[in-house]
Amino acid sequence: MMRCDGAPQRAHADENAFGGGRPGGGRGSLLDDIFTEHPGAQILFVGSANCLRHGPFRSIATYMRQQKAAVLLPSMTDFASGRYLRQVRDAVAELASERGATEVILIHGCQWVILSTDNALLQQQAEELGVRLIIRDDSHLERGRFGGAFDGGADE
């Protein structure tokens, strides 16, 4: 494995746990796994567009074309002001009304974790709309780069 600057990069024993999908599987298999567990659900990704370049999220465009996924990209101001919470509620309502969603799987970027988002409030608001909201935390801040607990960034 090579880094961008051409220097060799140490391969981690469990590099497929987060960034590369499952062993033998393709990139983006996190989303495939979600749809296997919840075949009729809609996925709502909330976070920065930069997050979508990471391996687990790379297949989201395919699911968007199939009308199975949506992306909400709040601005820094939206996150700082808390406006993103209303945007999430509105996005869930839109998925329910336009796509008939009764189950929405919300996946998110790092901003969600840093802001200690009130997940219970969002789930209650979704229930009022007749939607079961499942919030998955697959972020590298919670799970670590390779699927373990966040350890402050140490890779050793």
Side-chain angles (χ1 to χ4, degrees):
M1 192 175 335
M2 300 295 280
R3 295 188 325 205
C4 294
D5 61 5
Q9 179 177 335
R10 180 182 58 82
H12 194 281
D14 192 19
E15 72 181 49
N16 286 317
F18 185 76
R22 59 176 118 47
R27 291 224 180 249
S29 61
L30 168 72
L31 302 181
D32 299 336
D33 291 345
I34 289 173
F35 283 118
T36 299
E37 296 168 18
H38 305 275
Q42 288 283 319
I43 286 181
L44 174 62
F45 173 82
V46 181
S48 168
N50 294 333
C51 298
L52 296 174
R53 68 183 169 83
H54 295 297
F57 307 125
R58 286 189 180 158
S59 64
I60 199 159
T62 300
Y63 290 113
M64 289 174 69
R65 283 190 293 276
Q66 297 171 5
Q67 299 290 303
K68 293 181 178 182
V71 173
L72 177 62
L73 306 173
S75 70
M76 290 189 310
T77 303
D78 295 332
F79 278 114
S81 67
R83 190 171 37 224
Y84 77 103
L85 295 170
R86 186 179 67 247
Q87 293 171 337
V88 169
R89 184 195 64 222
D90 293 347
V92 170
E94 187 174 323
L95 289 171
S97 68
E98 292 186 11
R99 296 186 186 175
T102 57
E103 185 174 60
V104 173
I105 312 296
L106 190 146
I107 55 178
H108 55 78
C110 303
Q111 303 88 344
W112 195 273
V113 177
I114 292 168
L115 294 171
S116 300
T117 300
D118 189 346
N119 295 335
L121 173 65
L122 288 171
Q123 289 171 319
Q124 177 185 352
Q125 291 174 342
E127 283 179 25
E128 293 169 3
L129 298 168
V131 177
R132 179 176 177 223
L133 180 64
I134 299 170
I135 300 173
R136 294 211 22 162
D137 193 351
D138 296 301
S139 75
H140 59 272
L141 281 180
E142 284 292 318
R143 297 171 40 104
R145 182 173 174 204
F146 299 103
F150 179 66
D151 58 7
D155 199 22
E156 296 294 323

